[in-house]
Amino acid sequence: MATTNDLKNGIVLRIDGQLWTVVEFQHVKPGKGGAFVRTKLKNVLSGKVVDRTFNAGIKVETANVDKRDMQYLYKDGDDFVFMDTDTFDQLNVPAATVGDAANFMLESQTALVATNEGVPLYVELPPSVVLEVTYTEPGLQGDRSSAGTKPATLETGYEIQVPLFLEANTKVKVDTRDGSYLGRVND
């Protein structure tokens, strides 16, 4: 338990049985009446953002979220199996929890896995990853009808838009937040 005076960005609260991360907070002391804390909270599981106001000094329940670097091992049915690199414990994370991160994960890649009481909450990848293009159509010189990009399939099976000059077996840097092409990587 903590009071509203202890709130800071990034702290996780348990409100009505759900986990919420504090995105923003502001202590307000109006000239008349009691002080209060205005917060912006983000639901850890759904990503929904809400504004919530608390009276100053009231108790709020904090949740212990354990964030660890884990290595992705393999896919087991609908679950993704991760291994804690310190204790070598394995953790099955459902595909719904992994979400879009699955489009950019290769075996033996490291990711940040957040858990609460042993239950996986989300998987966070680095802002960009390097992946190999396994298939793309050959680009034709002078073909600019598609604004200079063409579809390319990555080694994870995910398809992104790349410049026309790229060929198969080229390593590219991809933004894990929106799946955009960031550049070519030379070995």
Side-chain angles (χ1 to χ4, degrees):
M1 294 294 269
T3 67
T4 54
N5 299 330
D6 300 328
L7 291 182
K8 16 178 214 243
N9 290 347
I11 195 169
V12 179
L13 306 175
R14 185 183 305 274
I15 302 170
D16 301 330
Q18 294 186 326
L19 297 178
W20 299 83
T21 303
V22 176
V23 178
E24 269 177 39
F25 71 98
Q26 178 182 19
H27 290 275
V28 179
K29 177 89 173 91
K32 189 166 94 177
F36 58 91
V37 179
R38 199 178 284 139
T39 62
K40 187 177 279 189
L41 303 172
K42 180 178 180 184
N43 190 305
V44 171
L45 296 176
S46 70
K48 178 181 172 186
V49 178
V50 297
D51 292 324
R52 180 114 185 225
T53 304
F54 298 97
N55 290 332
I58 68 161
K59 297 228 180 268
V60 288
E61 185 181 352
T62 57
N64 184 17
V65 174
D66 186 19
K67 297 179 182 176
R68 294 179 181 215
D69 279 331
M70 295 187 145
Q71 184 178 19
Y72 169 55
L73 297 178
Y74 57 91
K75 190 167 181 189
D76 181 22
D78 284 342
D79 290 354
F80 290 81
V81 180
F82 288 86
M83 178 184 68
D84 188 322
T85 52
D86 296 330
T87 63
F88 303 109
D89 291 338
Q90 291 188 6
L91 177 70
N92 284 29
V93 181
T97 304
V98 174
D100 290 339
N103 298 327
F104 310 106
M105 284 192 324
L106 292 174
E107 291 180 2
S108 77
Q109 182 176 346
T110 302
L112 184 79
V113 179
T115 58
N116 173 252
E117 297 171 3
V119 177
L121 300 174
Y122 60 87
V123 174
E124 194 174 290
L125 292 176
S128 63
V129 292
V130 175
L131 296 169
E132 188 173 314
V133 174
T134 55
Y135 175 77
T136 187
E137 294 287 332
L140 299 173
Q141 186 62 29
D143 178 17
R144 294 285 181 260
S145 63
S146 60
T149 62
K150 61 183 178 180
T153 305
L154 301 173
E155 57 189 311
T156 59
Y158 188 67
E159 192 173 278
I160 65 169
Q161 291 293 318
V162 298
L164 290 173
F165 63 82
L166 275 185
E167 298 173 3
N169 303 324
T170 305
K171 288 194 183 287
V172 294
K173 191 179 230 181
V174 181
D175 189 324
T176 58
R177 295 166 295 206
D178 60 7
S180 62
Y181 167 82
L182 293 175
R184 193 167 36 174
V185 177
N186 297 325
D187 290 335

